[in-house]
Amino acid sequence: MSTEHPCEMVAATQESFPLASRDATVSLSIEPPTGPALQAQAAGKPRQAYLRVERVTGKGMPPSYEIYLHPPGESQPGSREELCAGVLPLFGLDKASRQGAGHAGTGLHYVFDVTELMARLEQEPGWDPKDLRVTFVPRRQAKREAEVRVGRVSLYYE
């Protein structure tokens, strides 16, 4: 996210959720911008969109997850590469999840530029800004002792 212009959160999950060895989907309800993003749009600046995945904690050696954004009617988003927002690598998750010298234990945090993907989604049949689906698809089977929890997923406009 740019430091030149403030971003505005327009959607976020309310509770943390686990990731497992199967797909996990959460829904975001996008609210129209009312602050800095609205001012930027009024000034003619093209909208930028960022997906944040915050406070990812856990233990063990979990797989990486591909993240897909899609409308509610999409039953297998993982089969549509153009819906992929990025990959959630979890290298160092165990250490980032433990509080200790030099680290708060708040886990890993990621930001994905989803500007082009959001523009495509808004043209999809069944698009509903009140029900944007975010699906995490594991790249391989998780080991039994691996645990992953996502603290929050949020969408920002700039």
Side-chain angles (χ1 to χ4, degrees), residues 94-113:
D94 210 347
K95 186 173 183 177
S97 300
R98 286 180 292 190
Q99 188 173 7
H103 202 283
T106 57
L108 301 172
H109 309 272
Y110 301 90
V111 178
F112 301 91
D113 184 341

Side-chain angles (χ1 to χ4, degrees), residues 69-144:
L69 303 183
H70 57 95
E74 183 64 51
S75 61
Q76 293 191 335
S79 66
R80 294 187 54 198
E81 189 176 316
E82 72 274 14
L83 298 179
C84 188
V87 176
L88 191 71
L90 297 176
F91 178 77
L93 178 68
D94 210 347
K95 186 173 183 177
S97 300
R98 286 180 292 190
Q99 188 173 7
H103 202 283
T106 57
L108 301 172
H109 309 272
Y110 301 90
V111 178
F112 301 91
D113 184 341
V114 294
T115 303
E116 291 177 18
L117 178 52
M118 288 300 296
R120 275 196 307 272
L121 283 173
E122 290 166 356
Q123 305 304 314
E124 286 270 324
W127 167 249
D128 179 2
K130 295 295 183 187
D131 195 7
L132 170 64
R133 301 293 170 100
V134 181
T135 298
F136 295 80
V137 178
R139 288 186 137 182
R140 63 171 170 77
Q141 189 72 15
K143 296 191 186 245
R144 193 174 314 182

Side-chain angles (χ1 to χ4, degrees), residues 25-48:
T25 301
V26 295
S27 177
L28 296 178
S29 179
I30 302 171
E31 297 297 326
T34 58
L38 180 63
Q39 294 169 359
Q41 285 176 346
K45 184 179 183 306
R47 180 190 74 191
Q48 301 293 305

Side-chain angles (χ1 to χ4, degrees), residues 2-77:
S2 169
T3 56
E4 280 183 39
H5 305 284
C7 290
E8 179 177 349
M9 186 169 59
V10 294
T13 55
Q14 297 299 311
E15 298 178 5
S16 67
F17 57 94
L19 296 181
S21 54
R22 63 185 182 285
D23 297 3
T25 301
V26 295
S27 177
L28 296 178
S29 179
I30 302 171
E31 297 297 326
T34 58
L38 180 63
Q39 294 169 359
Q41 285 176 346
K45 184 179 183 306
R47 180 190 74 191
Q48 301 293 305
Y50 301 96
L51 183 75
R52 289 185 59 142
V53 182
E54 307 168 61
R55 298 187 316 268
V56 181
T57 58
K59 64 180 184 177
M61 295 180 60
S64 296
Y65 290 83
E66 294 174 343
I67 303 171
Y68 293 87
L69 303 183
H70 57 95
E74 183 64 51
S75 61
Q76 293 191 335

